[in-house]
Amino acid sequence: MEALYKNFFRDNKKFDPVLKALEKVPVFENLLEKELKNIAQLTHERGYQLNEYVFKKYAPAEGMYVILDGEIEIKDPKSGNIFANLTSGDFFGELALLDEEPRSASAICNKPTRLIGFFRTDLLTLIKRYPALGNKILLNLSRVLGERLRNANKNIIKLK
């Protein structure tokens, strides 16, 4: 028999797809559940349609995205070069957390897609409220960007 009155203050262990997605992203690696919840409160979830742009090349860079479900193609619209095909659990645009340079490629949906957005203003808010957490994210972000740079360098060397 179910209780007539439930304790609404007890931590509810329902499946939260945003938390599950965030904990798999290297930028948020090794964070406590409480820290992930603080981040999740600042994220923005949005759905996109087939062939809808998340952002276009040269658009102002505002933040990063995590794919909850769907498929994103990162490409140069002028040359048609495809840099990445991303699916659920993948993330992109993380460099925008650090600088305000325009986007270097376009991100377009290959099918209906749900994304979590985490923007530079969210990161700055987090750094103000929880400096230690902000530092953890910045260190993780630095590691991710360093790894991507090393991989890009290896790919350039292979092309020669």
Side-chain angles (χ1 to χ4, degrees):
M1 185 168 150
E2 194 173 325
L4 189 56
Y5 296 99
K6 293 181 180 179
N7 183 346
F8 292 103
F9 300 104
R10 186 173 294 145
D11 189 14
N12 202 347
K13 293 290 181 189
K14 288 183 183 176
F15 175 77
D16 183 347
V18 172
L19 277 178
K20 289 295 173 197
L22 290 177
E23 70 186 13
K24 294 177 183 173
V25 174
V27 173
F28 306 117
E29 199 170 76
N30 297 320
L31 299 182
L32 303 172
E33 186 176 351
K34 179 182 176 182
E35 293 171 325
L36 285 170
K37 285 181 180 180
N38 288 332
I39 294 164
Q41 289 176 349
L42 295 172
T43 62
H44 311 273
E45 187 177 336
R46 179 168 175 229
Y48 293 82
Q49 301 302 313
L50 171 67
N51 294 324
E52 185 176 356
Y53 283 90
V54 177
F55 52 78
K56 292 183 179 182
K57 185 174 181 174
Y58 303 122
E62 297 172 336
M64 69 174 279
Y65 298 89
V66 179
I67 304 172
L68 283 175
D69 54 67
E71 198 173 288
I72 298 286
E73 184 176 79
I74 308 296
K75 69 179 185 178
D76 182 324
K78 189 173 183 178
S79 69
N81 288 337
I82 297 171
F83 301 114
N85 284 303
L86 307 171
T87 59
S88 299
D90 289 332
F91 64 100
F92 60 98
E94 67 280 359
L95 188 57
L97 293 174
L98 297 177
D99 75 14
E100 297 179 17
E101 289 297 310
R103 298 289 185 176
S104 59
S106 295
I108 188 168
C109 299
N110 285 341
K111 61 177 163 178
T113 301
R114 282 186 321 134
L115 299 177
I116 304 166
F118 182 68
F119 302 108
R120 185 181 317 102
T121 55
D122 302 324
L123 178 59
L124 295 174
T125 297
L126 202 64
I127 290 169
K128 255 185 196 173
R129 288 185 192 166
Y130 310 102
L133 174 55
N135 284 333
K136 286 182 185 179
I137 293 169
L138 290 172
L139 285 171
N140 285 341
L141 183 58
S142 299
R143 189 174 31 77
V144 166
L145 293 173
E147 184 177 314
R148 289 199 176 180
L149 179 60
R150 279 189 294 280
N151 287 335
N153 287 342
K154 286 178 189 174
N155 289 333
I156 290 169
I157 290 169
K158 286 179 187 175
L159 292 174
K160 289 184 176 183

